[in-house]
Amino acid sequence: MKEFLGDDFLLDNEVGKRLYEKYAKNMPIFDFHCHLIPEQIADDYHFPSITEAWLGANGYGDHYKWRLLREYGVPEEYITGKKSDWERFEKYAEVIPYMVGNPVYEWTHLELKEYFGITKPLTPASAREIYDEANEKLKTLSARKMMEKFNVKTVFTTDDPIDDLHYHEIMAKDPTLKTRVVPAWRPDKAINVERDTFIPWVRKLSEVTQKDLKDLKSFLEAIDERLAFFVDHGCCASDHALDVVHYKKATYEEANKVYKKGLKGEAISEEEQDIYKGYLLVHLGKQYHKYNMVQEYHIGALRNNSRRNYARMGADTGYDAVEDKEIAEKLSALLDELDSTDELPKTILFTLNEKDYVVLATLKNCFQGGIKGKIQLGTAWWFNDCYDGMDVQFKRLADDGLLSCFVGMLTDSRSFLSYPRHDYFRRELCNFLGHLVEEGRYPDDEKTLGKIVQDISYNNAVAYFKR
């Protein structure tokens, strides 16, 4: 029986252990997609308690944990509500022993070990001692210190096009900040013409740009102006929560008609979404190509399934699931439209539905050329960000392309304590490669394998996102 979270955690073969210790363990981190709050990095925020660092505050926090607490029947007042930090932590400690097999159990204890030096399991009996010890150490463990502890070299935050990037400007001028923090462009509210967020967002864009956005032409001009502003602030990546892939080749007049319906709050059909969203994605893709940006497509989320809880708590609070609509035909047409004029930018394709790995893994290699790993199958994401999910994604990458070109792991996290997940990923990667050697499927070529490990851990992302 192995030691709980011991030195050989997730490593069950000698080649994998060697690769991890010599090549993966000490590599820096390039976190190219997360949901950290820029203000907290700029201010070097000190969390008042481990509860806020783990469960969040004011409706913003780790909904991975929230979902499990709700499943156990914990009242919402202990999850996102007004109970004291100690009461919320105590309730989390009551439930966590029953999270057996879930990655949150492993992440929780990795974070206790790596950030606070606490190795005992969190239980109701140990809760008070761990709470007090972690809170004492938090006094010197600020947001920046958490990133520095794991040698996080670069972070891309997720920013709306109307954001003024004030805190990014502060960080860019701060010589004490050891991590490069730049904005990533997230234009979902501009694209989701069918949602009730569209009209108020267009109004805000109009205020920011001082433009009358009466038609699609003026709207795109305003979007382009904001994108140039982001690029001037170091932005080199966009991020799209496509959820469902919408695309239909359309004229400006057809897309403009849908835009004007959206401004009036009229119902938008599926075909109209295909027209408008496809037109906008092609326009934006060409802009990304012009600026040598990377576009990230996150596909396959079925969001806000509980209308009652969405009305009560809003989006991104733990009520999302996996979508199962078909994606191949429309995604292929969208990528092909950009490729037809040689304006397809570097693209990372993520899927939340494991069934679509083979679609994306094979489709990406229809559009390669000129850039190493130009089109990527993104890392196992969200509900797949676990032991089996990563293993399946590694296999799919290797079966249908070059695993060695993979740009690797990201946190996709709202927590500064999430960086041990990169170590988790690297251990499993080394174990996967080690098995290929142990099974006689690849020679024990440590030099080449070591380079592949370091490239996937860090180097490929650095090269990929460089302008």
Side-chain angles (χ1 to χ4, degrees):
M1 182 175 64
K2 283 191 172 185
E3 176 189 359
F4 176 55
L5 300 185
D7 291 342
D8 293 344
F9 177 58
L10 302 183
L11 298 166
D12 63 14
N13 62 82
E14 293 305 315
V15 175
K17 293 175 187 178
R18 186 182 350 129
L19 290 173
Y20 171 75
E21 288 293 334
K22 293 181 67 174
Y23 300 99
K25 185 176 182 179
N26 297 315
M27 289 297 288
I29 289 174
F30 193 120
D31 191 13
F32 55 89
H33 175 65
C34 74
H35 297 277
L36 298 179
I37 300 173
E39 180 180 359
Q40 291 184 333
I41 306 174
D43 293 345
D44 199 16
Y45 185 72
H46 282 73
F47 289 90
S49 75
I50 182 67
T51 307
E52 182 177 324
W54 265 352
L55 297 179
N58 303 315
Y60 189 87
D62 187 352
H63 49 76
Y64 288 82
K65 297 183 178 73
W66 297 352
R67 289 167 62 93
L68 300 182
L69 293 172
R70 289 170 186 147
E71 184 178 359
Y72 200 77
V74 173
E76 195 65 34
E77 60 187 340
Y78 289 93
I79 303 171
T80 62
K82 299 300 183 181
K83 287 292 185 179
S84 70
D85 281 3
W86 161 244
E87 289 172 308
R88 294 172 68 207
F89 183 88
E90 184 180 32
K91 190 64 68 174
Y92 185 64
E94 288 178 18
V95 178
I96 196 166
Y98 300 98
M99 296 182 188
V100 56
N102 191 284
V104 170
Y105 186 87
E106 296 168 320
W107 295 343
T108 293
H109 289 92
L110 282 172
E111 290 165 17
L112 286 174
K113 178 181 179 181
E114 298 299 333
Y115 286 102
F116 305 104
I118 298 171
T119 57
K120 63 179 61 177
L122 178 58
T123 66
S126 66
R128 187 79 231 190
E129 180 185 354
I130 289 176
Y131 182 77
D132 291 341
E133 186 176 347
N135 286 345
E136 184 63 30
K137 291 182 178 178
L138 271 174
K139 293 177 181 178
T140 58
L141 194 59
S142 64
R144 294 187 187 186
K145 292 295 183 185
M146 291 176 186
M147 294 191 295
E148 291 170 13
K149 186 173 180 63
F150 278 83
N151 198 14
V152 182
K153 294 294 188 184
T154 302
V155 166
F156 292 175
T157 58
T158 302
D159 304 270
D160 191 287
I162 62 175
D163 288 349
D164 63 11
L165 304 184
H166 169 68
Y167 293 103
H168 285 282
E169 291 176 345
I170 291 174
M171 287 186 282
K173 298 174 183 177
D174 187 349
T176 68
L177 179 58
K178 297 179 181 179
T179 301
R180 177 174 176 251
V181 183
V182 295
W185 166 268
R186 179 83 171 229
D188 294 349
K189 291 179 181 177
I191 293 173
N192 293 328
V193 66
E194 80 286 7
R195 297 187 185 176
D196 57 10
T197 55
F198 184 71
I199 294 174
W201 189 86
V202 173
R203 288 174 182 156
K204 291 179 182 177
L205 178 64
S206 178
E207 293 172 7
V208 169
T209 60
Q210 295 294 296
K211 293 180 184 296
D212 180 8
L213 307 182
K214 62 183 183 299
D215 55 26
L216 184 57
K217 179 177 182 294
S218 56
F219 181 71
L220 293 178
E221 288 172 352
I223 291 288
D224 291 349
E225 178 183 308
R226 296 304 299 167
L227 181 58
F229 175 75
F230 268 59
V231 171
D232 286 343
H233 285 73
C235 176
C236 57
S238 69
D239 179 61
H240 295 262
L242 294 189
D243 297 347
V244 175
V245 180
H246 286 282
Y247 177 77
K248 181 178 181 180
K249 189 174 177 64
T251 64
Y252 168 81
E253 289 73 23
E254 290 170 325
N256 186 42
K257 183 178 178 181
V258 180
Y259 172 78
K260 289 185 174 181
K261 285 188 69 173
L263 284 186
K264 296 176 183 176
E266 297 178 5
I268 306 295
S269 70
E270 286 286 319
E271 183 179 8
E272 288 171 328
Q273 288 187 59
D274 288 347
I275 289 169
Y276 173 81
K277 293 183 179 183
Y279 191 91
L280 211 61
L281 287 169
V282 170
H283 175 86
L284 286 170
K286 291 180 178 182
Q287 292 294 305
Y288 305 152
H289 178 267
K290 180 177 76 173
Y291 291 119
N292 193 23
M293 292 173 61
V294 174
Q295 65 179 8
E296 300 177 33
Y297 286 171
H298 286 83
I299 302 167
L302 185 63
R303 298 181 188 271
N304 307 319
N305 292 277
S306 169
R307 288 177 294 165
R308 176 177 62 85
N309 285 301
Y310 175 69
R312 184 169 62 97
M313 301 186 66
D316 303 320
T317 53
Y319 298 99
D320 304 325
V322 177
E323 177 64 85
D324 65 352
K325 289 188 177 179
E326 296 178 353
I327 66 171
E329 185 176 359
K330 290 180 181 179
L331 180 59
S332 172
L334 171 58
L335 297 176
D336 181 58
E337 180 65 21
L338 288 164
D339 184 66
S340 67
T341 56
D342 199 21
E343 293 175 282
L344 176 63
K346 290 176 283 187
T347 302
I348 306 177
L349 303 170
F350 297 86
T351 179
L352 201 53
N353 196 323
E354 190 179 294
K355 75 175 178 61
D356 293 324
Y357 277 154
V358 68
V359 172
L360 300 187
T362 55
L363 185 59
K364 71 179 176 62
N365 275 11
C366 299
F367 299 100
Q368 303 286 11
I371 299 170
K372 179 182 176 182
K374 178 180 177 179
I375 314 300
Q376 294 271 332
L377 170 61
T379 193
W381 166 51
W382 199 343
F383 298 118
N384 298 318
D385 187 9
C386 57
Y387 183 87
D388 288 338
M390 290 181 186
D391 197 56
V392 169
Q393 197 255 2
F394 291 154
K395 289 176 180 176
R396 198 76 266 166
L397 272 171
D399 284 347
D400 295 310
L402 295 179
L403 174 62
S404 58
C405 290
F406 181 31
V407 292
M409 177 65 169
L410 48 82
T411 61
D412 188 31
S413 176
R414 288 162 170 77
S415 172
F416 286 91
L417 293 177
S418 64
Y419 286 106
R421 298 181 197 178
H422 278 261
D423 186 69
Y424 192 107
F425 168 90
R426 292 169 184 181
R427 286 173 178 270
E428 186 161 358
L429 172 65
C430 292
N431 202 57
F432 176 83
L433 295 173
H435 273 294
L436 296 180
V437 176
E438 297 279 343
E439 295 165 4
R441 299 175 60 194
Y442 193 89
D444 190 5
D445 179 356
E446 183 176 310
K447 182 178 179 181
T448 302
L449 288 170
K451 182 180 186 304
I452 290 171
V453 166
Q454 292 187 329
D455 285 349
I456 295 173
S457 296
Y458 180 71
N459 296 331
N460 283 346
V462 173
Y464 191 73
F465 286 95
K466 183 175 63 178
R467 282 214 186 92

